[in-house]
Amino acid sequence: MFEPTADDYERWQRHDVRTRLLRFATVLITVPIVVYSWRILGINYDYLSTAGWAVGDLLGRMYPPNHGYTGEIVGPMIETINIAILGTGLSALLSIPIAYLAASNTTPNRITYVIGRLVITVTRTVSTIIWAIMFVILFGPGAFAGVIAVAIRSIGFIGKLLSEAIEEIDPGQVRALEAAGANDRQQLIYGVAPQVKPLFVGITTHRWDINIRSSTVLGLVGAGGIGLELTARMDVYQWQSVSVILLAILVTVLLSELISAKARSAVS
Amino acid sequence: MLVAVFWSAWSIRLSPARFVEGLSSTGQFLASMWPPDFGARERELIREGVTETLAMAVVATIIGVSVSVPVAFMAAKNLAPWPVYYLARGLITVSRAFHSLIIGIIFVVAVGFGPFAGALTLSFATVGFYGKILAEDLENIDMNQLRPIEAAGGNRLQVILYGVVPQALPRMIGLAIYRWDINVRSSTIIGIVGAGGIGFTLLNAFDRYQYDFAAAILIVIVAIVLAGEVASAMIRRRVR
């Protein structure tokens, strides 16, 4: 009588050969990269062993927060919020023409399209803090440099999302205006703008919320806001004041996130 | 809203005069940046900075994601008991609220200057991002797929491993790659507070008025951020 052995059955595998090979290759490539990266970091294991203690010690020094100091940071905190508001507002104004150039359906010609895209890419890939370093050199230290830095960085963000919104509009509405004899400018104002307006408001509010967060660190490079106070307190080891600042930042950021979420759900 | 804007403008003392003054020095500034200095010594410094930056991003993504996955499970309302849920949500909120530079300062104090502080900083920042998004995905999974495993006598760990993980896995991988891309971006600036990478080189160049070298570094930063973005988008399309 015939007795089937294990070889007579095809072994069941969850994935086909191609998938398995691909996964194997992925692991083969990833693991050396990770190991190599880890070695580049040149970790000093003596420091690592005391890291827990150091963080604990730091938190111990921060507690209890120095309540008396709270009054002094109201000014810098308001300045931080103002930088975010102004920077975002300025950026919203600048983003509109850029987005118009960078949307393939509204841009006048090939060259303007490339210019629009280039502005968006460059402003977007350089972070706010690097822009701030440069504007501090140009305009001198202070909140002014911070506002410009926030504004320039945000062009990339708002402009990119806005140009994508413009590309996705319903062309029928614009064509109807064209058929009724509207010129290019009228087509933009009455055909394109109303369709992207809610999105534009939403994007700008969202960016404002992100900008509050980035404005908290502008002071590290001298561009105004609460960051300046933070580094000043750290330099003189007033950790109990530092914890007050950190708490204030936490509250402000959470509030702005709440406001931005409320505003965005209201417009959409 | 208009009132807010005008009041902000007044309190910061925005003035056209200052703006014009700044603009006039812009030409000079740009001229001193040109041509970008890619000399032999400069290339070496940039190479070091970039390797450190990329290494930080890789290590931070690995550590960050391994910490974030359990945190995300703890922060999913449908999977975690409420005290655990609030604990994990609190951690995510704190990690998201602080800019990575602020967290960076703390870690530099804790483990000393250098890229390791940067890797820890970015790992911590990863928890807030990855944990939050993954937790939201976990809350939206199909709970019916969990019932049969429970009915067959699977314990909690088995339910998670065979019921939840398969539903969330593609998303977990895609999100990890996306976060790596963001980590590359953040690791280019983290050096400003002494946490290693190309940001430190850049700040140094500005401090020493080597604007042509700074220009070279900026070009490299834009290039790696863009390359990271393109790579991440390509890989994510494949995973999906």
Side-chain angles (χ1 to χ4, degrees), chain B residues 147-167:
Chain B
R147 303 288 163 249
I149 303 169
E150 274 168 10
N155 62 26
R156 252 196 115 59
L157 186 70
Q158 286 167 330
V159 169
I160 287 178
L161 273 182
Y162 300 108
V164 182
V165 171
Q167 291 189 54

Side-chain angles (χ1 to χ4, degrees), chain B residues 47-133:
Chain B
R47 201 190 55 77
E48 268 170 35
V50 168
T51 1
E52 228 174 63
T53 290
L54 292 177
M56 274 192 316
V58 169
V59 172
T61 309
I62 300 279
I63 301 180
V65 168
S66 352
V67 177
S68 305
V69 169
V71 171
F73 277 93
M74 285 158 69
K77 218 173 204 154
N78 50 348
L79 302 171
W82 70 265
V84 177
Y85 170 77
Y86 283 106
L87 191 78
R89 283 282 161 181
L91 181 65
I92 288 175
T93 309
V94 169
S95 153
R96 274 166 45 80
F98 292 113
H99 193 281
S100 53
L101 285 184
I102 295 182
I103 302 168
I105 299 177
I106 309 256
F107 275 116
V108 165
V109 173
V111 298
F113 288 99
F116 185 56
L120 287 181
T121 304
L122 297 177
S123 309
F124 186 72
T126 301
V127 173
F129 173 89
Y130 194 95
K132 180 171 192 264
I133 300 182

Side-chain angles (χ1 to χ4, degrees), chain A residues 235-263:
Chain A
D235 285 346
V236 292
Y237 305 109
Q238 289 184 355
W239 294 107
Q240 295 180 341
S241 302
V242 168
S243 56
V244 175
I245 297 177
L246 292 182
L247 283 175
I249 292 177
L250 186 66
V251 171
T252 313
V253 168
L254 290 183
L255 274 181
S256 72
E257 205 170 277
L258 209 69
I259 294 172
S260 140
K262 278 253 152 57

Side-chain angles (χ1 to χ4, degrees), chain A residues 11-17 19-20 23, chain B residues 161-162 166 169:
Chain A
R11 237 185 111 209
W12 183 81
Q13 299 263 2
R14 190 163 162 204
H15 300 288
D16 60 14
V17 181
T19 320
R20 267 182 287 150
R23 288 190 178 190
Chain B
L161 273 182
Y162 300 108
L169 197 61

